[in-house]
Amino acid sequence: TRSTRPQRLLKAVRKHAARGDPQSVISAIDHFCRHSEWAMNIGDEKGSILDSVVSELNPEKVLELGTYCGYSTVRIARLLPPGARLITLEFNAGYAAIARQVIAWAGLEDRVQLVEGASEDWIPRMKEHFGIETFDFVFLDHWKDRYLPDTKLMEDCGLLRKGTVLLADNVICPGVPDYLQYVRNSLSYKSCYFKSHLEYTKAEDGLEKSVFLG
Ligand SMILES: O=C(NCCc1nnc(-c2ccc3[nH]cnc3c2)[nH]1)c1cc(-c2ccc(F)cc2)cc(O)c1O
Ligand SMILES: [Mg+2]
């Protein structure tokens, strides 16, 4: 049967990127998405904003919601010190299978743990299953109607501490109005918007950075 877009994206990584070289994996995926087939990776423009937030924070414990093909997983993990840990949740088994291979091609599997399943099932199990106390950084890039309930769930599970940074993709396109209203009006968050564009297009999109105040 016909291959899937993530399978074709992985093929492009294997063809054009060097094993163990995360930057070449990032460039290969961006080239594929610009010149062959659009795919819902954060992309190079918003990806640079992600890089600057991660580099400034230097997080030890990172949670990513929504792995897809592992593009942002590679962007984040390549900036982490070897002792740091990134747990990434993916709901779709097909996406997870591709992401594992992209992460391995980049040579970053030692600091990434990809977990398959629903965020609402795994967030309550982070402490007992992964020995995580709290996260330093959370990247939200999964189903847009899950951003708000999962943020409240992370609060309730005590996974956020004073200073934890949440960075949310797609706050304009496809848009997460309920999440934006919450983090911008809650006294528990200091929030700011980074205006950008939907990956590989001229449409507006942006990232919302929200610091949990405890
Ligand atoms: O849907 C998106 N991303 C979500 C994928 C995902 N990958 N994994 C999950 C997951 C993971 C654990 C989960 N637990 C419960 N639900 C879960 C869903 N969700 C998305 C869509 C667009 C987009 C924009 C304009 C268009 F015209 C069409 C599309 C752009 C983006 O940057 C996105 O991130
Ligand atoms: Mg996204």
Side-chain angles (χ1 to χ4, degrees):
T1 54
R2 192 169 136 68
S3 64
T4 64
R5 181 167 307 184
Q7 284 168 333
R8 295 193 292 272
L9 181 149
L10 172 63
K11 201 170 155 203
V13 166
R14 287 206 176 110
K15 186 171 176 194
H16 301 291
R19 278 188 80 88
D21 176 357
Q23 190 51 59
S24 73
V25 169
I26 291 164
S27 302
I29 293 173
D30 285 331
H31 188 274
F32 174 81
C33 292
R34 274 194 190 288
H35 303 290
S36 301
E37 302 183 61
W38 185 92
M40 57 182 165
N41 315 116
I42 190 171
D44 43 354
E45 192 180 307
K46 289 186 290 178
S48 301
I49 300 167
L50 170 64
D51 289 357
S52 56
V53 170
V54 172
S55 301
E56 185 191 336
L57 197 61
N58 250 323
E60 292 285 315
K61 297 276 181 277
V62 178
L63 175 63
E64 175 181 61
L65 300 174
T67 319
Y68 187 43
C69 294
Y71 174 89
S72 49
T73 321
V74 168
R75 284 203 83 112
I76 296 166
R78 86 191 200 286
L79 299 174
L80 300 180
R85 285 280 162 284
L86 193 169
I87 296 173
T88 181
L89 283 189
E90 178 45 62
F91 185 70
N92 178 307
Y95 294 169
I98 298 300
R100 286 188 203 286
Q101 296 173 77
V102 168
I103 293 158
W105 196 267
L108 294 167
E109 61 273 39
D110 63 315
R111 61 200 86 166
V112 175
Q113 192 149 10
L114 195 160
V115 181
E116 277 184 56
S119 48
E120 61 269 28
D121 298 336
W122 279 102
I123 287 170
R125 300 174 58 197
M126 281 296 155
K127 294 192 184 232
E128 42 97 10
H129 200 274
F130 297 101
I132 294 276
E133 270 309 297
T134 55
F135 285 105
D136 305 312
F137 177 64
V138 182
F139 178 53
L140 296 94
D141 194 22
H142 59 332
W143 285 344
K144 308 316 162 192
D145 61 357
R146 294 294 320 167
Y147 283 29
L148 182 55
D150 286 342
T151 296
K152 289 179 171 174
L153 187 56
M154 287 187 286
E155 289 174 18
D156 297 345
C157 295
L159 287 168
L160 308 181
R161 54 140 174 101
K162 225 184 270 307
T164 297
V165 169
L166 306 188
L167 189 68
D169 189 25
N170 310 117
V171 297
I172 303 298
C173 177
V176 283
D178 59 343
Y179 173 82
L180 273 191
Q181 196 273 337
Y182 179 73
V183 290
R184 290 177 174 174
N185 295 290
S186 163
L187 296 177
S188 300
Y189 292 92
K190 176 91 187 74
S191 211
C192 64
Y193 175 60
F194 292 84
K195 183 178 162 73
S196 184
H197 294 95
L198 176 69
E199 49 265 29
Y200 318 114
T201 78
K202 291 186 167 55
E204 184 181 343
D205 190 21
L207 303 171
E208 188 81 1
K209 177 186 171 188
S210 308
V211 184
F212 186 60
L213 304 174

